[in-house]
Amino acid sequence: MKNFLSALAIVTAVTAPSLGFAQDKNFRVGLITPPVHVWNKEVDAMGVTLGEMSEGRLGVTAFPSGQLGNEGTMLQQLQTGALDMAWLTTAGLTLRVPDMSALHAPFLVTNIADAAKILRSDEAREILDALPAATGTVGLCYAMTGMRQVMAKEPITSVEDLDGLRFRITPAPPIQTFFEAFGAAPAPMPLTQVYDSLANGQIDAIDMDHESILNFGYYDHAKNMLETNHQLFGMVALVSGRVWAQLSDEDKAIVQEAAQKHCDRTIDLFVSEEESKLERLKAIEGLTIVENVGPEFFGDIVERWDAEWSAQTPYLARLRALAATF
Ligand code: BEZ
């Protein structure tokens, strides 16, 4: 936490002098997810919280569904100060912050309650300290969407069936490593293109969380699902370092507290609703779900993935050690 606070101080010092007084501010918040997603609802709720905590001086306007561009574009906008805040996937940050890749280690955890513990850990919090220097942003808190599951047009009965599949992935090196390990052909693309790409046959398979599967209806074109829980999928609430630098100390404290409240609520909602979302998926006609597909289905993927990534980030060993205590 000490490192985190000093990183904030550096951003404040290098980007612009603090104005030192309270000001009205409507934060523009970008998201790749659609208005029905939990993240979007919590961003709206964060706007209400900010208003309550600041006597109406602070608020948010959300830009959902990648309206402002994909996550890489939003990150650039945050860096220049053209965008105030964004709720971006941890995957989308891995190119700039390699340590974030450790959160995407396969089978780091195998259930959502443990995923929550990882994201609330000191180790994960420390990774946020790299954001100011690497991206010109300040990471306020983590949340998540659900655990990742596999969905495919054709049934997958063994890991050999992944060989040669055109597999949509969230653009992120650690995710690419995972699917390449099975001979799949990863097709990195933003969330906003996934439904159409499945519909027009550009891709054969995806990995996705329950919330997004339900929101987008991917089962229209991928009727085979494996309940794999192979990866947690985190989110970071980011604020532009330039914007942060211009806030008074009082407003920084309000923004930090409001963001934390809604990150926490997001995590709690995902943990409590993961099972009922699976039940809703099971009720969908035409969708075949194979449940409890454990790490053993993927052979020695953990060893192979770790062999490639352990030299790239010390957080991999630290997070695996932490997860072993759960
Ligand atoms: C994805 O890229 O798969 C994704 C992004 C945000 C929320 C859920 C999924």
Side-chain angles (χ1 to χ4, degrees), residues 74-142:
M74 284 192 263
L75 198 52
Q76 283 168 7
Q77 292 164 353
L78 288 169
Q79 192 155 18
T80 63
L83 178 61
D84 300 316
M85 290 186 185
W87 280 29
L88 300 187
T89 61
T90 49
L93 294 166
T94 55
L95 263 180
R96 305 270 202 104
V97 182
D99 288 335
M100 200 72 84
S101 304
L103 295 170
H104 289 273
F107 300 107
L108 175 61
V109 291
T110 52
N111 65 73
I112 198 154
D114 287 348
K117 289 185 201 159
I118 290 284
L119 292 168
R120 287 177 161 142
S121 68
D122 291 343
E123 288 85 345
R125 182 93 220 171
E126 270 178 36
I127 297 173
L128 297 181
D129 292 347
L131 283 166
T135 66
T137 67
V138 174
L140 298 173
C141 47
Y142 285 103

Side-chain angles (χ1 to χ4, degrees), residues 32-33 37 39 71 89 145 148 168 170-171 189-191 207-209 212 233:
I32 196 78
T33 43
H37 195 280
W39 295 357
E71 292 202 321
T89 61
T145 187
R148 296 297 261 201
R168 178 271 169 174
T170 308
M189 69 179 69
L191 182 68
D207 77 328
M208 198 51 74
D209 57 273
S212 301
F233 212 75

